[in-house]
Amino acid sequence: MPVLAFWFEFASTYSYLSAMRIEREAASAGVDVAWRPFLLGPIFAEQGWKSSPFNLYPAKGRYMWRDMEREAEALGLPCRKPDPFPQNSLLPARIALLGADRAWGPGFAKAVYRAQFGEGAAISDPALMLRLLLDLGLDGKAVLAEAQSEENKSRLRLQTSEAQARGIFGAPTFIAPDGETFWGNDRLERALAWTVASDTGRS
Amino acid sequence: MPVLAFWFEFASTYSYLSAMRIEREAASAGVDVAWRPFLLGPIFAEQGWKSSPFNLYPAKGRYMWRDMEREAEALGLPCRKPDPFPQNSLLPARIALLGADRAWGPGFAKAVYRAQFGEGAAISDPALMLRLLLDLGLDGKAVLAEAQSEENKSRLRLQTSEAQARGIFGAPTFIAPDGETFWGNDRLERALAWTVASDTGRS
């Protein structure tokens, strides 16, 4: 099956919507998903942004939260604004990067999103991360230690540099096998259709 | 029929996509459209932006033009980047504001978008505006003179202030009769559905 890369940032609200539906949508399209956690902070900082654009531009931020309520409701998902917003997503991103090569990766990512935007929880809290890992039947302390190893920290920096090198400026971003890039939860369907069509054209 | 307000800026690429399809989509939903031209420039300036965000943030700008190509193709529309981008949209906005109360308004707005994003024409050119008005069977010189009257200029400033007061921060923006607001060409379907549902609920 062709593979669509799903680049996501835990602090990104619209990434939450995509994370909760991408497996279902990809399966019905006949596409595999590669989960690619990265950090938007360093990319935003290069643009001179020291916070989320939804905080820097209040009218846009107010609109986004209303839009999220509507979009989440349409998907049958809860929507709650964590305090503070945006959350520091460094620790969950490190864990999700480990999980990207392992079967528990998508389940962990969805659990983080559900805790943050469904329940308003603080995702920088190591105790919460430990609980989510234990809920997945994992050796939570070992995973946490590996996630915070120097090797894994530098892998996440590389992953974020790769995102930037690919022209990623926001999340979620979907990249088809031929490099075609789609930004935003609203483009998931097009990204899947493109992945299928370019795969059919190639085979 | 309930009325959906369509707030558009001529220099906005995604407003082009909405302008070319909103009459068809609204008619099949059973909704009337109120065309509301305004200027994004003063709203962007208050955010500290002196140009289009697509120029200020180059990665986002490169992506937007590729996305526009794809979205325009899906609608069977041509897509060309005018030079310079963004175009100065003051004169066509003044004319469209006059047209908003008259039968030729939507036809004029679509002609401006087609010239700009279909053919790459400079929409600040009074000669082009005159030609588009003549093509619509109008007394082009009289319309141009009325568009540039002090009264109409100040109406456009008021319209732009109203946009800002309503929390508009980008274009296209759709506002339902109950004030519910939707931003972006991707939200046209939801805006129409909301307009229909809130009208049914009220009657």
Side-chain angles (χ1 to χ4, degrees):
Chain A
M1 282 207 286
V3 180
L4 181 65
F6 167 38
W7 291 79
F8 62 99
E9 149 71 76
F10 280 116
S12 150
T13 51
Y14 291 102
S15 294
Y16 162 51
L17 301 182
S18 290
M20 303 314 273
R21 71 193 190 97
I22 193 168
E23 291 169 300
R24 186 174 65 238
E25 299 297 332
S28 45
V31 168
D32 266 339
V33 178
W35 294 63
R36 298 260 184 277
F38 74 110
L39 297 178
L40 267 176
I43 294 176
F44 283 175
E46 285 223 348
Q47 300 186 356
W49 294 347
K50 289 176 184 170
S51 179
S52 161
F54 298 122
N55 289 344
L56 297 173
Y57 306 110
K60 192 170 188 166
R62 277 188 296 273
Y63 172 77
M64 183 276 286
W65 286 107
R66 177 64 188 134
D67 190 53
M68 274 294 294
E69 282 177 0
R70 291 187 308 235
E71 296 297 308
E73 190 185 344
L75 294 169
L77 294 170
C79 176
R80 202 163 140 187
K81 184 177 177 175
D83 179 22
F85 174 81
Q87 288 281 307
N88 183 332
S89 56
L90 182 59
L91 179 57
R94 285 175 175 162
I95 301 170
L97 184 61
L98 272 189
D101 303 329
R102 306 182 194 183
W104 53 266
F108 172 76
K110 288 185 290 180
V112 172
Y113 279 120
R114 204 178 297 116
Q116 182 186 202
F117 293 119
E119 297 156 25
I123 59 169
S124 57
D125 177 10
L128 173 64
M129 292 301 105
L130 187 62
R131 182 168 66 72
L132 298 181
L133 291 166
L134 294 172
D135 286 350
L136 290 162
L138 300 167
D139 179 346
K141 286 194 174 174
V143 172
L144 269 183
E146 193 179 351
Q148 292 173 292
S149 68
E150 286 309 316
E151 189 194 337
N152 192 59
K153 287 179 181 177
S154 91
R155 272 184 72 210
L156 182 61
R157 283 190 290 270
L158 280 174
Q159 176 106 328
T160 296
S161 300
E162 186 187 334
Q164 195 156 19
R166 287 174 179 270
I168 290 177
F169 56 89
T173 293
F174 310 100
I175 305 189
D178 64 356
E180 191 75 15
T181 298
F182 299 83
W183 171 54
N185 179 55
D186 295 325
R187 288 287 177 278
L188 174 55
E189 284 76 6
R190 282 222 196 287
L192 288 167
W194 185 282
T195 301
V196 170
S198 63
D199 186 63
T200 311
R202 211 181 301 118
S203 61
Chain B
M1 282 206 285
V3 179
L4 181 65
F6 168 37
W7 290 80
F8 63 98
E9 148 70 77
F10 280 116
S12 150
T13 51
Y14 291 102
S15 293
Y16 163 51
L17 301 181
S18 291
M20 304 313 273
R21 72 194 191 95
I22 194 169
E23 291 169 300
R24 187 175 63 238
E25 300 298 332
S28 45
V31 168
D32 266 337
V33 178
W35 293 64
R36 298 261 185 274
F38 74 109
L39 297 178
L40 267 176
I43 293 174
F44 283 175
E46 284 222 349
Q47 301 187 353
W49 293 349
K50 289 178 182 165
S51 179
S52 161
F54 298 122
N55 290 344
L56 297 173
Y57 306 110
K60 191 169 189 168
R62 278 189 296 275
Y63 172 78
M64 182 276 286
W65 286 107
R66 177 64 188 135
D67 190 53
M68 274 294 295
E69 281 177 2
R70 291 187 308 234
E71 296 296 308
E73 190 184 343
L75 294 169
L77 294 171
C79 176
R80 203 165 140 187
K81 184 177 175 174
D83 180 21
F85 174 82
Q87 289 280 306
N88 182 332
S89 55
L90 182 60
L91 180 56
R94 285 174 176 162
I95 301 171
L97 184 61
L98 272 189
D101 302 329
R102 306 181 194 184
W104 54 265
F108 172 76
K110 288 186 291 179
V112 171
Y113 278 119
R114 204 177 296 117
Q116 181 185 203
F117 293 119
E119 298 156 25
I123 60 168
S124 56
D125 178 9
L128 173 63
M129 292 301 105
L130 187 62
R131 183 167 67 70
L132 297 181
L133 292 166
L134 294 173
D135 286 349
L136 290 164
L138 301 167
D139 180 345
K141 286 195 174 172
V143 172
L144 270 183
E146 193 179 350
Q148 292 172 293
S149 67
E150 287 309 316
E151 188 195 337
N152 192 58
K153 287 179 182 178
S154 91
R155 271 185 72 210
L156 183 61
R157 283 190 290 271
L158 281 175
Q159 176 106 327
T160 296
S161 300
E162 186 187 335
Q164 196 156 17
R166 286 174 178 271
I168 291 177
F169 57 88
T173 292
F174 310 100
I175 305 187
D178 63 357
E180 191 74 14
T181 298
F182 299 83
W183 170 54
N185 178 56
D186 294 325
R187 288 288 178 277
L188 174 55
E189 285 75 8
R190 283 223 197 285
L192 289 168
W194 185 282
T195 301
V196 170
S198 63
D199 186 63
T200 310
R202 211 180 303 119
S203 60

